[in-house]
Amino acid sequence: MDKQLKFPENFWWGSAWSAEQAEGRGTTGKAETIWERWFKEEPNRFYQGISSAVTDDHLHRFKEDVALMVATGHNSFRTSISWARMFPDGGTGEVNPQAIVFYRALFSEMKSNGIQVFANLYHFDMPAKLQDIGGWESREVVAAYVHFADTCFKEFGDLVEHWFTFNEPLGPILGGYLEDFHYPNLIDFKRGAQAAFFTILAHAKAIEAFKRHQLSSKIGVILNLSPTYPRSKNEADVKAAEIADLFYTRSFLDPMVKGVFPSKLVQLLEQYDQMPLDFQPADLDCIKNNVAQILGLNYYEPRRVKARLTAINEAGPFLPDWFFEHHIMPGRRMNEYRGWEIYPKGILDLCLDIKNNYGNIEAFISENGMGVADEERFMNQVGQIEDTYRIDYIKDHLAYVWRAIEAGCNLKGYHLWTFIDCWSWINAYKNRYGLVSLDLTTQKRTIKQSGIFYKKMSAANGFEYNMENLN
Ligand code: BGP
């Protein structure tokens, strides 16, 4: 039975990307980032040896891009402000006037086209020089970040509607300290815990600085969250899921939104001697007093967990999966290109968790999307990608967002990952996520079928859906 799903008035329809993934290096002055550094050291780690040097060349094409935002129904859009571009001497020193000109021009262009500016201050793009002095393991870097944030509030405060301290702060910890997919490529939980703690402190200190500016905008954080499902109701599976959830969900969510660390996680880290070395009472006070005012939820896949089947190697490095194994659920629906399970109902469970356990804080879906390899297979004779699978993916997830709103969740919008196909870290251009396709040789942008659908959906503030697909 088809039903017209209507979303609340002024619902945010849009998408997101980040500076390093879309701007291109350009010639306005920019410090080397850890991505550029890593590419120089190990180009073989990047899909087809493609770096972030050019990406979408958004720096030079932003006017055309804003027109495409309008054409694909955006009323809001998130990008990040590049710390390395703002402070080209390596993340500190003099602010770059050319960077200010660029971001002011971009944000003004968006605003005058009716697109609210969502600005994020950190999307994995540490200036390499600051990584050299310890990156997020260093208090000096926290101070430099707060100065950068404060400069952005001052320079762009009149143009930005929503601010975010971090996108997916768990990512650099997982990748950089536990799983080897992000600079500095260490395997060291304790150092990772220090970097995580200072990231959380940097978030709080940036919010503290933000409050001094007395802007009418809000500031929050964007977290990648997955509901954690145990394989079964067996006690051992349930316990494994609880621990995985502490490491991956509560670790950042609790301190950044509630101002406190989950006591069970602290106990566990104490037991295994994995607590960060440097944390002061004044830090904990700052974290307590400066929490997110709005929460972005990035949802791609559920987390399925079971009790360990094998013994751990205690001579190996301490890792969260000492306590659980990932469960491959028979019958799961997969995005094989990315290796992520597609489970739309997970978005509802996630939103209910936020409603029930985090004071129903104002929130929105800040990323959700489907990366597909070799999308040119689906190109029609006029050069348009017929990505019906993406339209279905969006609808299936949004139907559960609609249901979450019906259930009282304080959800204000939906942003897709992503707008125009962009550079995806070590996967470079392998998987395409955009509403608009990008020709890498000519930089030509072409709206996909999903972009046309998105525009219609945004104009109607909803879409027709077969409710039998919900369970
Ligand atoms: C999120 C990141 C994005 C984006 C997206 C898609 O985790 O915030 O930057 O890259 O995932 O993932 P990937 O690019 O790894 O396919």
Side-chain angles (χ1 to χ4, degrees), residues 33-52:
T33 64
I34 50 174
W35 295 95
E36 293 169 307
R37 161 80 64 80
W38 187 16
F39 185 81
K40 263 190 219 151
E41 291 174 359
E42 293 190 282
N44 53 303
R45 298 284 303 265
F46 293 77
Y47 185 72
Q48 292 179 336
I50 301 179
S51 75
S52 61

Side-chain angles (χ1 to χ4, degrees), residues 377-407:
R377 280 175 295 163
F378 305 108
M379 193 180 276
N380 64 22
Q381 280 151 339
V382 293
Q384 183 184 58
I385 309 276
E386 299 190 344
D387 53 345
T388 48
Y389 43 86
R390 181 164 291 109
I391 299 173
D392 291 341
Y393 177 100
I394 295 170
K395 284 184 177 172
D396 289 347
H397 284 81
L398 267 168
Y400 281 106
V401 171
W402 178 84
R403 190 170 259 190
I405 295 169
E406 292 276 290

